[in-house]
Amino acid sequence: MIKIKLMILDSDEIYLERFTSVLNTKYQDKIEVHCFSNVQYANLFLVDNKVDVFLCAENINFDKKVLMPNCGFAYFCDKKSINQVDGAKAIGKYQKIELIYSQILDLFSENSSYKVSEIEAKGLASDKFVYLFMSAAGGTGSSTLAAASSMRLAKKGEKILYINLELLGDCKEFFVSEGHGNLSDLIYAIKSNNANIALKIESLIKNTKVGVDFLECCSSPLDIRDIKDKDINILIDTLLKLTSYTKIIIDADFSLQDISLSLFNVASSIILVSDGEKIANDKTIKLLETFGIIEKQNKTPLLQKVKIAYNKFSSKNAQQIVFDDVKSIGGTPRFDGAVPMQIAEQIANMAFLDNI
């Protein structure tokens, strides 16, 4: 396993002692930390030692030219709101250790010469699944069911990662957490042939109080449109091999572009969401018919992966879809007067989600 060699230069010796103690308590197996309060001693250490990440207090005059080309560098600042100092990245000193650690990982992933193949893989767990949520009709609440399923699985002790790949997706409707970066940064890293995609992912993942980890949505819809099938394959393959997640929930738009076709292939289960109304059901049936065509063209089983879930279902007007052997897992009625996060939390208590 790779152990990141971290070096910190800061004149505040009390802070360095406390910071090192906390860092070693939580990440001793992942980071080897060396702290200095004197520039001269720091330079002497660099002569004979390779450093992966170097953090320097913003008030210290340090010549970055002495660092090796593959060493990640950032200024250590008193204010966490500062993102850059003199063109270099900045990390706030006074924030949660988990947030500082994720930014150290980010620096390492962007600058290190280590390759993914050199990172110890944890292997593909036998109970690891990828659940793909999508809808043929807008407004049926597929994102709500995807978020609710994530919450329910987390309550059952599963290690869950939620990813929203919708063109106009917004994770903040369901999950709130501190952290930096988003899916746009990860897409850029993949397209740039970043050698440490696994570490980049780990640095961007955010944790929530409900037990669901997630990747923040893209900054711009254009970034989603720029994803190709090979990018999705790299992302999912890395997640399956190099993380401890047993369940990955993907919320995505339906299209016949490369991204959707790749998602169909990697998904263990495809959950199509309808509200049971005629318009949504008709569109869902067309989508199922399209799956049948794709199945024959590519000789890849799709329909056997598909399950139908209902959201905002009205017993007066709504009807269930009947299509070959495609199963319905049940559904939920409409919730009025509540925000999306509250609705997802209520749906997460419903047993029908165990059938996804």
Side-chain angles (χ1 to χ4, degrees):
M1 176 181 290
I2 293 174
K3 199 168 186 179
I4 300 172
K5 186 172 287 188
L6 170 68
M7 185 172 173
I8 305 175
L9 177 59
D10 195 313
S11 58
D12 188 342
E13 295 182 356
I14 295 177
Y15 173 85
L16 289 178
E17 183 178 349
R18 292 175 177 173
F19 177 79
T20 303
S21 176
V22 175
L23 192 68
N24 284 335
T25 299
K26 296 208 68 171
Y27 303 107
Q28 188 173 15
D29 60 332
K30 296 182 178 181
I31 291 184
E32 175 187 325
V33 58
H34 300 270
C35 296
F36 295 86
S37 58
N38 181 283
V39 176
Q40 183 179 356
Y41 290 149
N43 283 327
L44 287 174
F45 181 83
L46 288 169
V47 172
D48 299 317
N49 295 274
K50 179 183 179 297
V51 174
D52 297 312
V53 176
F54 189 101
L55 303 181
C56 179
E58 60 181 321
N59 61 343
I60 292 180
N61 185 18
F62 176 78
D63 185 5
K64 298 191 291 290
K65 294 179 181 179
V66 302
L67 298 174
M68 297 293 288
N70 292 323
C71 179
F73 178 87
Y75 283 104
F76 223 17
C77 302
D78 291 341
K79 296 181 179 180
K80 67 177 182 180
S81 58
I82 299 176
N83 295 318
Q84 281 194 343
V85 174
D86 294 334
K89 285 190 175 182
I91 296 176
K93 294 165 57 176
Y94 302 106
Q95 55 182 326
K96 292 180 180 178
I97 192 67
E98 293 84 0
L99 299 180
I100 296 177
Y101 171 70
S102 70
Q103 292 174 82
I104 292 171
L105 272 184
D106 194 36
L107 281 170
F108 179 72
S109 70
E110 291 179 352
N111 295 278
S112 173
S113 59
Y114 287 112
K115 296 181 180 179
V116 170
S117 59
E118 294 172 321
I119 300 173
E120 181 179 354
K122 297 179 181 178
L124 181 60
S126 59
D127 61 344
K128 189 166 289 191
F129 291 93
V130 177
Y131 297 103
L132 174 61
F133 283 77
M134 58 174 47
S135 175
T140 59
S142 59
S143 294
T144 304
L145 288 193
S149 297
S150 301
M151 295 174 186
R152 185 169 182 84
L153 287 167
K155 286 181 180 180
K156 291 178 173 290
E158 299 280 5
K159 184 67 174 173
I160 304 299
L161 179 65
Y162 170 87
I163 305 174
N164 190 307
L165 294 176
E166 291 182 313
L167 199 62
L168 300 174
D170 185 4
C171 299
K172 293 186 180 69
E173 288 188 329
F174 306 106
F175 304 112
V176 178
S177 179
E178 294 182 277
H180 76 289
N182 55 42
L183 198 55
S184 294
D185 300 305
L186 181 55
I187 293 170
Y188 176 79
I190 292 173
K191 289 185 174 296
S192 302
N193 295 317
N194 188 301
N196 291 289
I197 300 301
L199 290 177
K200 186 69 175 180
I201 290 172
E202 187 177 352
S203 74
L204 294 173
I205 285 175
K206 299 181 180 180
N207 314 116
T208 67
K209 293 181 179 179
V210 295
V212 178
D213 291 355
F214 71 100
L215 285 169
E216 189 70 66
C217 298
C218 284
S219 306
S220 167
L222 296 176
D223 294 331
I224 287 289
R225 294 187 64 179
D226 199 33
I227 299 178
K228 304 301 180 185
D229 56 340
K230 66 176 183 179
D231 303 327
I232 286 294
N233 291 333
I234 291 172
L235 171 61
I236 300 300
D237 185 62
T238 306
L239 286 170
L240 290 175
K241 289 181 179 178
L242 300 175
T243 74
S244 59
Y245 296 105
T246 56
K247 303 287 189 295
I248 299 172
I249 306 287
I250 300 177
D251 183 12
D253 296 315
F254 168 74
S255 75
L256 292 177
Q257 303 301 315
D258 288 344
I259 178 174
S260 287
L261 296 177
S262 294
L263 289 174
F264 296 157
N265 290 329
V266 301
S268 310
S269 181
I270 302 172
I271 297 90
L272 300 183
V273 181
S274 175
D275 58 10
E277 300 292 334
K278 186 178 186 307
I279 293 177
N281 283 357
D282 287 347
K283 290 183 177 181
T284 303
I285 290 173
K286 284 185 178 181
L287 176 52
L288 291 169
E289 291 171 345
T290 303
F291 279 170
I293 295 172
I294 295 173
E295 197 172 65
K296 291 179 181 178
Q297 290 178 341
N298 299 339
K299 297 181 180 180
T300 303
L302 282 182
L303 287 173
Q304 68 184 43
K305 297 182 180 182
V306 177
K307 298 176 182 178
I308 299 175
Y310 296 94
N311 190 24
K312 307 177 184 179
F313 194 87
S314 169
S315 58
K316 293 182 179 180
N317 304 316
Q319 293 184 343
Q320 293 193 30
I321 295 170
V322 178
F323 188 92
D324 294 343
D325 295 326
V326 176
K327 297 179 180 179
S328 169
I329 66 170
T332 175
R334 177 183 293 275
F335 289 89
D336 294 318
V339 299
M341 185 182 296
Q342 293 172 329
I343 295 173
E345 289 172 347
Q346 291 186 59
I347 296 175
N349 295 319
M350 298 182 177
F352 82 92
L353 290 178
D354 295 336
N355 300 320
I356 63 171

